[in-house]
Amino acid sequence: MRIVLLGAPGSGKGTQAARLKAELGIAHISTGDLLRAAVKAGTPLGLKARSVMDAGQLVSDDIVLGLLEERLAQPDTRDGFILDGYPRNLAQANALDGLLARLGQPLDAVLKLNVPDADILRRTELRFKAEGRADDNPDTVRKRLEVYAAQTAPVADFYSQRGLLTEIDGVGPIETIAARLLGALRAQTGAAAER
Ligand code: AP5
């Protein structure tokens, strides 16, 4: 099963993708995690990406597509994957279409977590205090939300027009949201989500 998980910064994509990975036995691919690993390793790409991420902006499409292509070449993605944080604009959505067509691996479902900005600000502030992730400071989160509204929100329409999108209420206990996502997957793809 191949799934895209959409949602604003802090909407719970990473939390829920980890659960879907365990439930469905498929790979979890987070472009944010791939970029943070490059930053931590101090690679040339990581050095380039760091200031962009710290400013709450999007890293260039070419860099992120390169990372994604490398990740999709790894064998654990053969049985399927959950994409978390990609695509983030219409150019990336079109690039992903082309890449998956070349690989003969079309998407099965796109799930979008809906969470009000007030909850997002609360969640990311808590994480900022607990973990000190640089782009979780409240000013940068506001910038990330602006970038999301301007660039990422249109990606939902792109998939809605293809009949792939289901919107999910992303507020509530983590287990409840996980059950909503699995229910939506069952409805969208039938038996594939029964595992
Ligand atoms: P990325 O890492 O993708 O960050 P993001 O999309 O902004 O999302 P987050 O990781 O903040 O949140 P999430 O939705 O995964 O929620 P989470 O489960 O963590 O990207 C970071 C940066 O990298 C971007 O700004 C950009 O610069 C760059 N980048 C990445 N991909 C890119 C791309 N494709 N193109 C260009 N640039 C790219 O939850 C958040 C918090 O809430 C956690 O503390 C969690 O414990 C808590 N939480 C989760 N669920 C609940 C719940 N139900 N109730 C209460 N708290 C909850």
Side-chain angles (χ1 to χ4, degrees), residues 3-15 17 28-36 58-59 61 64-65 68 82-89 92-93 96 111 113 133 144 148 152 155 159:
I3 304 164
V4 163
L5 202 48
L6 292 177
S11 59
K13 300 183 297 297
T15 303
H28 170 197
I29 304 177
S30 155
T31 46
D33 286 349
L34 293 174
L35 286 163
R36 277 184 291 277
L58 297 185
V59 175
D61 292 344
V64 185
L65 183 62
L68 180 66
I82 307 143
L83 278 182
D84 153 14
Y86 194 97
R88 258 180 149 90
N89 58 30
Q92 292 186 6
L96 181 64
L111 305 172
L113 289 169
R133 186 172 136 178
R144 287 162 65 197
Y148 177 80
T152 312
V155 173
Y159 288 121

Side-chain angles (χ1 to χ4, degrees), residues 6-169:
L6 292 177
S11 59
K13 300 183 297 297
T15 303
Q16 295 298 336
R19 295 184 74 107
L20 286 174
K21 173 186 169 167
E23 185 73 28
L24 303 173
I26 55 180
H28 170 197
I29 304 177
S30 155
T31 46
D33 286 349
L34 293 174
L35 286 163
R36 277 184 291 277
V39 168
K40 197 167 171 204
T43 63
L45 185 156
L47 292 175
K48 228 190 258 179
R50 182 177 190 155
S51 56
V52 181
M53 294 171 77
D54 285 354
Q57 300 285 355
L58 297 185
V59 175
S60 85
D61 292 344
D62 287 355
I63 288 183
V64 185
L65 183 62
L67 283 174
L68 180 66
E69 281 188 275
E70 258 177 41
R71 183 65 186 86
L72 284 175
Q74 290 172 22
D76 67 322
T77 65
R78 266 182 218 136
D79 291 337
F81 50 79
I82 307 143
L83 278 182
D84 153 14
Y86 194 97
R88 258 180 149 90
N89 58 30
L90 288 174
Q92 292 186 6
N94 280 305
L96 181 64
D97 251 13
L99 174 58
L100 295 183
R102 276 202 305 286
L103 296 172
Q105 299 189 341
L107 290 174
D108 296 297
V110 177
L111 305 172
K112 175 171 174 279
L113 289 169
N114 291 330
V115 177
D117 285 3
D119 294 74
I120 282 172
L121 287 162
R122 228 180 348 259
R123 290 182 189 182
T124 48
E125 194 172 345
L126 280 177
R127 186 169 60 183
F128 187 51
K129 287 180 180 148
E131 298 172 23
R133 186 172 136 178
D135 62 351
D136 275 342
N137 78 69
D139 286 345
T140 310
V141 171
R142 281 191 200 92
K143 173 47 76 181
R144 287 162 65 197
L145 286 170
E146 277 172 33
V147 170
Y148 177 80
Q151 300 196 46
T152 312
V155 173
D157 293 336
F158 177 95
Y159 288 121
S160 176
Q161 283 158 17
R162 286 162 173 71
L164 286 170
L165 182 77
T166 307
E167 301 204 38
I168 308 287
D169 177 4

